[in-house]
Each structure stands twice: as C-alpha cells, then as structure tokens.
Amino acid sequence: MPGEVVGRIYGDVGLGAFRLTLAHPLERGEYLSVKDEGERDVLCQLDDVQRRSDLSLEKATEMVHGGSVDVQESFYGKARILGYREGGLIRVPQIPFAPGATVHRAQEPLIAEVLGLKTNGNAGAYLGLLRGHDLKVELDINALVQRHVSVLAKTGGGKSYLVGVLLEEFLRHRVTCIIIDPHGEYGSIRYKTEHIPKERAERFHVEPQSFREQVQEFSPDTKLNAEARPLTFSLGHLDARELLLFLGITNVRGYVAPMKSLLDEASQGAEDYTVKDLIRLARGREDGGALFEAIAQRLEYIDETRLLAPKGTSLTELVVQGKMTILNLRGVAPDVQELIVTRVATSFFDQRKRGKIPPLFLVLEEAHNFCPQQGQALSSRILKTIASEGRKFGLGLCVVSQRPARVDKSVLSQCAAQLILQVTNPLDVRAIAQSIEGLTDGMTEIIQGLPIGTCLVTGGGFTTPLFCEVRPRASRHGGESIKIVPNS
Ligand SMILES: Nc1ncnc2c1ncn2[C@@H]1O[C@H](COP(=O)(O)OP(=O)(O)OP(=O)(O)O)[C@@H](O)[C@H]1O
Ligand SMILES: [Mg+2]
C-alpha cells in the first residue's frame, strides 16, 4: 500500500531522476514512492524543492507600500530514484516512469527494505533513527571493523558524542577497542548519563547505563589523570632516536651518537637498566660536554614522568578481549603522543598479524595530528599500513577529525564507512566529497547545514547514504563545551 499522494511527475523523465509538482511543501531528503510499469513500489528521494510564484517586482513593491496582493504559488521538486529490492538486491526500473504518474510519501516498510534497515533484532551498532522516521539505523559491526570508518565534523559538531554512542554499542557486542584519547574525554563512559529527557528516552529506546566493568584506562600522566593506570614503555626496547624523542629532543642530529654510546654502555652493565642508570652514566662521562649534560637533564625530567621503566606496560594488559582500553594522552607533549601512537599501533599490528591478540578496533581521535596530509608525523607510516592492510588481520580503524582536508588522503579513502556531521569549511567539504562515492550535490549542501545530532551515514552495510538522528548517550559524554559566560 503506497502512502499519501504528494505530487505528480512532469516534463522529461530520466532513468535516475525526475521532476515533480508538489501538492504542498515537503522537506528535502523526504522518501517518496512511485509505481513502475510492473506495479512495483519504487523508492525515491526528494533532492531539491522549489517554491515558484507569480509575484513580480511591481507587485512586491505594492506589498511594501501596504497594498494587498494576491500571490499564486506552487511547489516543485526534483527526486532521485533509489530503487526496489528483488532477491535481496537493489534494482532500478529500466523504463522511465510515466509523466503524470502519482508520487506518494514512502511507507516505512518500503524505506526499511530498500535502505536495508533492520526492523527487528539487535545485531548491529544502533546509532539512532532514520531522520524523520521511527526506523533504527544499525551499522554492520563486522563491516566497520573490516573496512574502517571515519567520523568527520567541524569542531563542536558532535564527533566525540557520536564515537561515544558507537563505543557503547561495541561494548554491548563485546568488541575489543582501544581509544587514542588526546584530550582525556572518554573515561566518562564508565558512568551513567545523569539524565535523558523522557521524550527522547522513549523515542530512541535508550536508558542510562554505565560501562565501568568493561573499561580500563591507561595514561603516561597519572597525576593529571587520576583514574588511569600508568602507561609505561620498556626502556630496553627503545633505540637511541626513539629515546631522544621521548626526551623531547626533536632536533636529534648531534645527539644520536652520544645517546647510542650511553645505551650500549648501560646494556653491558645490566639488562634491566633504569633512567637513573642512564643519568649516572651521562654525568660520569669523562669526555663530558654540553650534549651529555643536556641529555642528563632531559632524562631527569622524563624520570619524573615515569613514562620509561625497565619493564613497560605489556600488550596483554592493554588489549583485553571484549574490553575497551582508553589511552589517555592528556598532558602529554604532541611529539611524545606521536611516539606513543606509533609504538602501540605498531605492536597491535604486529601481534594481530601473528594472532597473539584478539581482533580489535582502534579509535584515533584528532587523526589529522597522527597522519597528516601535509608533512610527516612519526605515526603516519604505521597508520597508513593499518588503513591499507589492517582489514586482513582484523584490525579496524576509526579515524576521527575536525579537519578532514588535513588527514592523509590514503588513510581517509580506505574508510569504507563514513559518519559525517556538520562540516562548513569548503576545503573539508571538498575533501569529504572526494573521498565518498555516491555523494550527491544535494547531500554535500545538506552536510553544511546539519543540526547538531544529525549525521550522514555512508557505507557500513548500507548501499545508499542516509541521514540519521543520533541516539542519546546512555553513558556520560566527556567532551562538554565549556561556557565562558555562565547561562549564556
Ligand atoms: N547527538 C547529540 N545529542 C545531544 N547533544 C549533542 C549531540 N552531539 C553533540 N552534542 C553536544 O554538542 C557538544 C559538542 O559535541 P562533541 O564534544 O561531540 O563535539 P566534537 O565534534 O567532538 O568537538 P571537538 O572537535 O571540539 O572535539 C557537546 O556539548 C555535546 O553534548
Ligand atoms: Mg571531540
């Protein structure tokens, strides 16, 4: 049974799109249906709406001066044909619709069938509801982990909130995840959200929930991040260059040789040497000099951070089946953050290859810093490798960024699913349009005006891009915007 009649097809009709007159205004993006030659209901989507009138400049001027003017107006639209399902596959009619054919508002069962929305069960990651409908949008978790996903929006657009929703779903489905959390926002997932407005709780079927049992957090700075356990790295596993980066010596030239000689000397003495041993050796050098003293001072600083230890945090502590591990990097210098991401990502990739750790999903917040399009970050190489090869080994990547144009294109284009919230910067809009197949000009325009809480979903088990109203968080969101002026 088709729904209410909303208009009729007019003019030249193509195989992919048609024009229609509308009985009353409809929103862009509305789902429609038209019967084809075989009497099948075909799903279509309104791409553009126009309001035309006979109001001339003269008549409008009359109105300005208080005259009463009779305005005749009508609504027109342009719709795209999405198709119908046959034998599980999406097909589109091979004969154009007849001009004059009636256009209906699409019924929810047809929308669900063609878009591939499950109306029962709870097998996927429940992200929210199809915009304007009561249909659940559930992403295929295997597709996300095997084919990677990106979450893109301008700053404050709702990325972390949406990633939080995704992580709650992963935890419910016992997917092992690791979060690179540069701002320390994700630890709040342990706690129930304080409040979900009744109307939203009922509409989205969400109740407050805590995930305390499944969450663990590590940080190099446990003074600043008190809920975290210490994240440390084995001193003996670092080479001279890596250690210099840990020390914040970025211009390593000149320092590599002295550092190498210190490490050689230390490893001859004892296998599990400490930072203090290195300081002692640096200060005890007879050939002394400014370089050794500079190294000794930096070592003293790093010794306080306790980032380096004879025995670092083991991989089996970090990756636990069915749990979420937050690597909270708040307070850590950017180059040390890069180093940490490089080391952990390299270990995850190597150990997944050997099947030593369970399949996992790696969430990379602020991805533009760890795999930038311009310039090189230490972590770029391993992240590109994971993006292109990770899927073979069950290592999924979730790339999160507020500057899509600044994320390495080869990483972004490997993400087969995209969750896009509002993006306004023209360069970022272009980067998104280039990295997504099947994005229409209409959708690109819509992205620029999306309200908070609505996202465009492409891939992830869906053949057609769709708009989703993100469900409320069950746990607490940690990235609240900070008000400078109270109650503004
Ligand atoms: N779906 C949603 N429902 C309700 N509130 C939301 C939703 N998404 C985001 N918000 C609110 O919008 C604000 C910004 O969201 P969020 O922290 O997720 O943005 P972001 O894109 O991660 O920003 P940044 O780029 O600064 O990290 C938060 O205060 C959050 O509570
Ligand atoms: Mg954020």
Side-chain angles (χ1 to χ4, degrees), residues 253-437:
R253 226 156 26 106
Y255 285 92
V256 176
M259 184 55 103
K260 238 182 172 153
S261 74
L262 278 183
L263 290 178
D264 285 346
E265 197 181 342
S267 57
Q268 278 163 17
E271 228 173 66
D272 51 354
Y273 54 88
T274 64
V275 178
K276 285 202 168 53
D277 292 332
L278 290 178
I279 298 172
R280 193 175 33 76
L281 292 175
R283 292 249 156 84
R285 278 298 169 107
E286 275 173 15
D287 47 352
L291 287 182
F292 282 106
E293 182 48 33
I295 289 176
Q297 283 177 14
R298 297 294 186 128
L299 283 167
E300 276 171 344
Y301 163 74
I302 204 87
D303 195 32
E304 275 175 35
T305 68
R306 299 182 191 198
L307 193 58
L308 303 176
K311 195 173 170 333
T313 316
S314 75
L315 209 56
T316 47
E317 279 178 275
L318 289 183
V319 185
V320 184
Q321 171 79 53
K323 284 206 176 177
M324 165 173 157
T325 304
I326 301 165
L327 300 184
N328 182 346
L329 305 182
R330 189 163 67 124
V332 177
D335 42 348
V336 180
Q337 290 197 7
E338 272 175 41
L339 197 71
I340 293 175
V341 170
T342 311
R343 288 206 72 84
V344 294
T346 307
S347 313
F348 295 154
F349 185 67
D350 289 345
Q351 298 304 310
R352 249 329 288 159
K353 257 180 164 172
R354 295 187 204 158
K356 293 268 166 68
I357 51 175
L360 65 99
F361 190 65
L362 177 64
V363 178
L364 186 67
E365 266 275 3
E366 308 284 358
H368 49 276
N369 290 336
F370 298 108
C371 46
Q373 168 67 12
Q374 286 200 337
Q376 267 285 322
L378 195 65
S379 41
S380 287
R381 199 152 142 210
I382 180 64
L383 292 171
K384 282 192 222 179
T385 308
I386 293 177
S388 60
E389 294 178 40
R391 68 188 58 172
K392 288 186 245 160
F393 307 110
L395 176 49
L397 196 58
C398 174
V399 176
V400 187
S401 176
Q402 76 255 23
R403 290 308 317 270
R406 294 204 185 147
V407 180
D408 187 293
K409 296 275 168 302
S410 63
V411 172
L412 212 52
S413 63
Q414 291 290 342
C415 297
Q418 282 91 8
L419 306 177
I420 298 160
L421 299 130
Q422 193 190 53
V423 179
T424 46
N425 181 308
L427 293 177
D428 294 330
V429 173
R430 198 181 321 149
I432 290 173
Q434 283 167 356
S435 70
I436 302 180
E437 273 174 48

Side-chain angles (χ1 to χ4, degrees), residues 216-231:
Q216 56 170 1
E217 182 172 342
F218 289 86
S219 176
D221 189 340
T222 49
K223 274 195 198 128
L224 187 62
N225 306 301
E227 284 186 288
R229 284 151 63 189
L231 175 68

